[in-house]
Amino acid sequence: MLAERRHQMILRALRSGGPAAVADLSAQLNVSAATIRRDLLKLEEEGLLTRVHGGAVVESGDQPFAEVAEVRVAEKDAIALRAADMVEDGQTVLLDIGTTAYRLARQLHGRRLTVITSNLVVYEELADDTAIELVLLGGVLRREYRSLVGFLTEDNLRQLHADWLFLGTSGVRPSGQVMDTTVVEVPVKRAMIAACDRVVLLADAAKFPGTGMAKVCEPGDLDAVVTNVPSTLPACAAFEEAGVEVVRI
């Protein structure tokens, strides 16, 4: 069995069944315990799980999209409005999953833009706007969060290029690391970062520190952060030290 396939099966087992021992994973995948330990080490290095004594665990996923969409709407709209001002007509914009990216999509109506997304709510918002060239990435449907994920999504992104990525997050560490709670989204987010000239993190105050054990990127991978947090937060100092523009609303 290929390592990539094993990794997917390990993550699926941990998400569906909770913490698992090395011996159990070895039996399920019909490989040696040594192979499982190497796989767990690799996945931990990628920020996709946490090794514990005798096995590994992943955090539970995000709340369903409909629940998250109902909270902090005013803050998200203010961040979205400022982010929309960064974009010039004729440019290509990549929108991440999440509710703040959706609020940004609402600010783009009537603009002469190309919008690429794996966010089905963004797609539904912009589908009838004839001014916008809309590109929907392929992938496996993640129903509870209205997004498309997996190797098909990542392959699509390798064929595309955008001027801007507006990235969402579950949490931002004091060190400026951008985190996520849902491991299947992390490779897609990393592929989005690789496909763009400029990466802008959209993060309201609740995301500092927020949640998440899977690292998406370091602060130096960002070009700007649009946020409503005070400048005294350690994460803001980490951003500025890394040369990231902090845009406060």
Side-chain angles (χ1 to χ4, degrees), residues 94-97 116-120 135-142 147-160 184-192 195:
L94 181 53
L95 295 183
D96 190 13
I97 67 156
I116 305 168
T117 191
S118 60
N119 186 330
L120 292 180
V135 179
L136 181 64
L137 299 168
V140 177
L141 176 61
R142 185 178 164 223
S147 65
L148 296 165
V149 297
F151 75 92
L152 291 173
T153 320
E154 297 165 48
D155 283 349
N156 283 178
L157 285 163
R158 282 189 278 269
Q159 308 305 315
L160 298 169
V184 294
E185 296 286 359
V186 172
V188 175
K189 289 175 181 283
R190 291 175 180 169
M192 287 181 171

Side-chain angles (χ1 to χ4, degrees), residues 36-239:
I36 293 295
R37 290 190 187 95
R38 287 195 296 270
D39 289 340
L40 296 181
L41 179 61
K42 175 65 174 175
L43 289 167
E44 185 178 52
E45 289 173 350
E46 294 177 356
L48 299 177
L49 55 73
T50 299
R51 287 186 300 155
V52 297
H53 181 68
V57 64
V58 298
E59 288 189 5
S60 58
D62 292 321
Q63 295 172 267
F65 188 97
E67 294 179 12
V68 183
E70 298 295 325
V71 300
R72 304 188 305 281
V73 174
E75 292 92 333
K76 293 172 185 177
D77 278 342
I79 289 171
L81 183 62
R82 181 63 184 86
D85 288 341
M86 296 179 169
V87 180
E88 298 178 5
D89 285 357
Q91 292 187 320
T92 298
V93 177
L94 181 53
L95 295 183
D96 190 13
I97 67 156
T99 57
T100 309
Y102 162 62
R103 306 307 298 187
L104 173 54
R106 292 169 61 93
Q107 301 291 338
L108 300 180
H109 277 295
R111 302 278 303 272
R112 187 174 59 84
L113 299 168
T114 298
V115 175
I116 305 168
T117 191
S118 60
N119 186 330
L120 292 180
V121 185
V122 167
Y123 166 77
E124 291 164 1
E125 177 69 28
L126 299 178
D128 295 328
D129 191 325
T130 57
I132 291 176
E133 186 77 18
L134 186 57
V135 179
L136 181 64
L137 299 168
V140 177
L141 176 61
R142 185 178 164 223
R143 288 181 176 84
E144 71 275 15
Y145 213 65
R146 309 295 303 281
S147 65
L148 296 165
V149 297
F151 75 92
L152 291 173
T153 320
E154 297 165 48
D155 283 349
N156 283 178
L157 285 163
R158 282 189 278 269
Q159 308 305 315
L160 298 169
H161 174 267
D163 298 295
W164 296 92
L165 165 62
F166 292 98
L167 183 70
T169 181
S170 299
V172 180
R173 294 286 183 261
S175 64
Q177 287 184 338
V178 179
M179 311 298 291
D180 203 277
T181 59
T182 309
V183 294
V184 294
E185 296 286 359
V186 172
V188 175
K189 289 175 181 283
R190 291 175 180 169
M192 287 181 171
I193 291 170
C196 292
D197 286 339
R198 283 159 288 187
V199 181
V200 180
L201 180 68
L202 308 179
D204 63 70
K207 302 298 178 67
F208 295 80
T211 58
M213 52 75 67
K215 183 179 76 174
V216 175
C217 67
E218 297 287 348
D221 296 313
L222 306 173
D223 294 286
V225 179
V226 184
T227 185
N228 61 341
V229 299
S231 60
T232 53
L233 279 190
C236 289
F239 287 138

